[in-house]
Structure formats: C-alpha cells, structure tokens
Amino acid sequence: NESQRDAVLYNEGPSLVIAGAGSGKTRVLTYKIAYLLEQGYTPWSILALTFTNKAAREMKERIARQVGDQARYLWMGTFHSVFSRILRSEAECIGYPSNFTIYDATDSKSLLRSIMKEMQLDDKVYRPGMVQGRISNAKNALITYKAYEQNKELVQHDIDSKVPLLREIYKRYQNRCQQAGAMDFDDLLLQTNILFRDHPDVLEKYRSFFQFVLVDEYQDTNFAQH
C-alpha cells in the first residue's frame, strides 16, 4: 500500500516504521532491501538485524526471489549471529581466540554451579537461575564485572537481597569463560560493544563498511542491542 511504499522508497536518512501487528512491517523491510539492491548498493554494505534466524532465512529467500543470487551476500541475521561473525574476525583485539566457544544457557548454568560449589555457597540462597539472570541483566546493561564491583547501588542491592557475593561469582564466572576461550550469549552483545568502544579503528572499519543498518522488531531491542 501507499504507506509501505513510502517507507520503502524513502532514502534520505534514518527512518522509523511504526505500525500494528500483522500490518506488514517485515514486508516493508524485505522490499526496502530489494529496492536498495536494485538501486545498485552492494549486498555486503547492508546490515539487516532480525530477532530470529527463521525470520532472517525467510527474508533472504523472499529477497532472492526478487533480486537473485546477490541476496546471499547480505549481512543478515540475529544480533547474536551477526555479532559472533564480527567477533570471530576481531576476537584477538579483546583477548579471545577467533575460534571461541559459545556457551548456551545450560553450559553457563553448569559453570555457575561449579563456581558456587567451590565457594561453598548455599544453592537455596544463591539459586543458579537467579544468579544467571542477574549476570545476564548486568551484561545486557553493558555492566562488566569490574563495573559491577564498583557500582555501589548494585552492591548494596545484593547485600539487601542476602546475596552479597554475587559480584565475586560474576568475576570468577567471567574469568573462567575467558580462560576457556568461551563467550555466553550475552557476551556476544557485551563484547561487541567493548570491541567498538575500545578499538576506534575497528569501529571505523565497520562504520564505513555498512551503509545501511535495518532492524526488524526494533521496539524489542535491549540496551546492549540498541
């Protein structure tokens, strides 16, 4: 329709598409990318972030039906899959091997359990799920374990919640991950932010590499993704 067409053709700077569920926002994004390719932009200069791998696959297939083979050169995927691709190329800048392991939620919880066992903590007080959630929230707010230790409000909140050693668990957990050459899902967001923050040359490389950044379901981004 006309509104969708306006969003697809607009190309003068940032734009935000706001519409209700099922009204065709993803369709707009798909056509927008096809339009950019038809205008002669290279597929590798377009970064499209989606919330599921399934959405990325479907969009790629739909774009390929319109513009053909070049769709496979798009940088398209979830935040986590795109960021892991960037980190694999640049990992050594932040002290990780390029073939780092990615821990899923089960691996992560298992490591936390063993750290808490070493520290002889009561798992009815330091419940693994709760500890994992608190560390995850910190990472999604871009708070490293060092920043966590220095944040008086967070430390006081842990004391009030009867889990004063949470900062120590976070520290040991992060050090253990790094020693094992591993990142958890939240690290993929946090470490990409750290990479760009601490290495302006790397940031500039990707800044000049991507001409368009398109985000599906933007309203659901957390702080680290934003």
Side-chain angles (χ1 to χ4, degrees):
N1 63 37
E2 208 166 312
S3 300
Q4 289 173 314
R5 185 182 171 82
D6 285 347
V8 168
L9 297 180
Y10 174 78
N11 206 11
E12 304 305 313
S15 67
L16 184 63
V17 175
I18 302 170
S23 57
K25 294 184 295 296
T26 302
R27 181 181 172 86
V28 164
L29 197 58
T30 306
Y31 275 83
K32 175 92 179 178
I33 293 166
Y35 171 70
L36 291 171
L37 293 171
E38 282 163 2
Q39 295 304 299
Y41 289 98
T42 56
W44 47 89
S45 71
I46 298 169
L47 169 62
L49 296 159
T50 62
F51 267 78
T52 65
N53 288 312
K54 182 171 177 273
R57 263 196 317 276
E58 286 172 2
M59 282 172 66
K60 234 176 205 178
E61 285 162 11
R62 282 161 71 177
I63 293 163
R65 285 199 288 274
Q66 285 172 261
V67 299
D69 190 47
Q70 53 180 334
R72 65 196 180 98
Y73 298 108
L74 290 161
W75 277 68
M76 181 182 276
T78 62
F79 280 87
H80 294 86
S81 68
V82 168
F83 289 2
S84 67
R85 183 176 166 186
I86 291 171
L87 288 168
R88 295 252 179 242
S89 298
E90 316 291 346
E92 284 167 20
C93 295
I94 51 169
Y96 282 86
S98 59
N99 63 341
F100 60 83
T101 308
I102 298 174
Y103 283 171
D104 64 16
T106 309
D107 299 324
S108 166
K109 198 176 275 187
S110 158
L111 176 55
L112 284 168
R113 278 185 207 278
S114 73
I115 289 167
M116 290 189 286
K117 198 172 179 182
E118 282 165 23
M119 293 172 71
Q120 300 180 323
L121 297 172
D122 182 352
D123 64 5
K124 289 183 180 63
V125 177
Y126 289 87
R127 298 187 315 280
M130 177 275 290
V131 173
Q132 187 177 34
R134 294 274 269 270
I135 291 173
S136 174
N137 289 343
K139 289 184 179 184
N140 286 324
L142 302 181
I143 298 168
T144 61
Y145 78 82
K146 286 178 183 167
Y148 195 103
E149 286 177 322
Q150 289 160 8
N151 187 310
K152 287 177 185 163
E153 278 178 35
L154 287 172
V155 170
Q156 189 58 49
H157 181 257
D158 290 346
I159 292 166
D160 296 342
S161 308
K162 309 280 192 289
V163 285
L165 290 171
L166 209 120
R167 56 186 163 161
E168 180 61 24
I169 299 170
Y170 184 7
K171 179 181 180 175
R172 291 190 190 198
Y173 171 75
Q174 209 51 35
N175 286 336
R176 211 61 89 67
C177 284
Q178 190 140 14
Q179 283 162 13
M183 293 190 200
D184 62 24
F185 282 139
D186 298 314
D187 278 325
L188 297 175
L189 307 180
L190 174 64
Q191 297 298 338
T192 304
N193 273 283
I194 288 170
L195 171 72
F196 289 155
R197 182 195 72 193
D198 294 351
H199 298 274
D201 54 326
V202 177
L203 172 62
E204 194 47 48
K205 177 170 117 181
Y206 287 94
R207 193 178 260 166
S208 54
F209 189 67
F210 297 125
Q211 291 181 276
F212 291 91
V213 179
L214 302 111
V215 186
D216 199 16
E217 306 285 359
Y218 176 78
Q219 75 282 357
D220 292 333
T221 51
N222 64 30
F223 181 70
Q225 289 165 335
H226 169 74

